[in-house]
């Protein structure tokens, strides 16, 4: 049910800031991070952004943010059809859920949740390749490298949602 608070000035401002956060994260992912390769692997930080929003804004905002980000990610990456849409919305929802009941919203808890989300998405990407081409042991190394290589950028993604969560 929609109420007046959804259309308040502060709420619209927060929504616009999150739209900018989403846009800048997508631009960084598609234009900057794809050029930073370590052993052929580039960082993939979109799951960490969905986790950050879910952590600070709750499961509803996290799921919607992840859904929108996932739709744009699926458009941007040719090899994906709906995978990122599903995964990122589930990560945003899951982060909001665990933040409500199990963990705090501090940096260390975020980094652990983000690492879990990054690992989950990397494993899902590996599963897609495994089904198409078969399993090989070096794939696990690629999963680990992508997850670890994404963590420094994921650390930066913590701060905008932390700050935006204070606005009402």
């Amino acid at each position: 049910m929609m109420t007046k608070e959804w259309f308040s000035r502060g709420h619209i401002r927060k929504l616009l800031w999150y739209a900018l956060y989403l846009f800048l994260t997508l631009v960084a992912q598609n234009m900057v991070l794809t050029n930073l390769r370590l052993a052929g692997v580039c960082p993939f930080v979109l799951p960490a952004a969905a986790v950050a929003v879910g952590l600070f804004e709750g499961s509803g905002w996290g799921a919607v943010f992840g859904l929108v980000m996932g739709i744009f990610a699926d458009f941007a990456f040719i090899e994906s059809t709906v995978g990122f849409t599903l995964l990122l919305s589930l990560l945003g929802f899951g982060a909001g859920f665990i933040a409500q009941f199990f963990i705090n919203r501090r940096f260390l808890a975020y980094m652990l949740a983000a690492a879990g989300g990054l690992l989950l998405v990397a494993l899902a990407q590996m599963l897609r390749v495994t089904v198409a081409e078969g399993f090989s042991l070096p794939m696990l190394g690629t999963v680990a490298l992508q997850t670890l290589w994404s963590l420094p950028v994921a650390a930066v993604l913590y701060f905008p949602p932390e700050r935006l969560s204070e606005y009402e």
Side-chain angles (χ1 to χ4, degrees):
M1 178 183 238
M2 293 259 186
T3 61
K4 285 184 182 180
E5 67 188 40
W6 275 94
F7 298 103
S8 71
R9 182 179 225 176
H11 205 289
I12 297 296
R13 183 179 300 150
K14 182 187 259 191
L15 185 65
L16 291 173
W17 278 113
Y18 273 118
L20 179 63
Y21 176 69
L22 183 141
F23 175 74
L24 292 175
T25 304
L26 286 167
V27 167
Q29 179 64 58
N30 292 326
M31 299 182 91
V32 178
L33 298 177
T34 55
N35 296 317
L36 298 176
R37 295 192 180 272
L38 179 66
V41 177
C42 61
F44 187 67
V45 297
L46 301 183
V51 166
V53 173
L55 195 72
F56 285 105
E57 297 297 339
S59 54
W61 274 77
V64 171
F65 183 87
L67 177 74
V68 173
M69 180 172 273
I71 290 169
F72 283 111
D74 282 329
F75 283 141
F77 299 107
I78 295 170
E79 68 275 354
S80 181
T81 52
V82 295
F84 292 133
T85 302
L86 295 172
L87 283 171
L88 296 180
S89 57
L90 285 172
L91 283 175
F93 177 83
F97 180 81
I98 64 170
Q100 184 175 2
F101 294 108
F102 301 110
I103 65 172
N104 61 29
R105 291 170 173 86
R106 306 242 184 212
F107 184 73
L108 181 60
Y110 159 74
M111 287 303 290
L112 292 172
L118 292 166
L119 183 62
L120 179 71
V121 170
L123 287 170
Q125 290 173 313
M126 184 188 86
L127 180 64
R128 185 186 55 77
V129 173
T130 300
V131 168
E133 300 174 13
F135 177 77
S136 69
L137 196 57
M139 281 193 237
L140 292 175
T142 303
V143 165
L145 183 59
Q146 179 178 311
T147 302
L148 293 173
W149 186 223
S150 302
L151 284 175
V153 182
V156 175
L157 294 175
Y158 168 83
F159 298 103
E162 178 197 33
R163 184 70 185 237
L164 287 172
S165 69
E166 297 170 1
Y167 290 124
E168 281 302 323

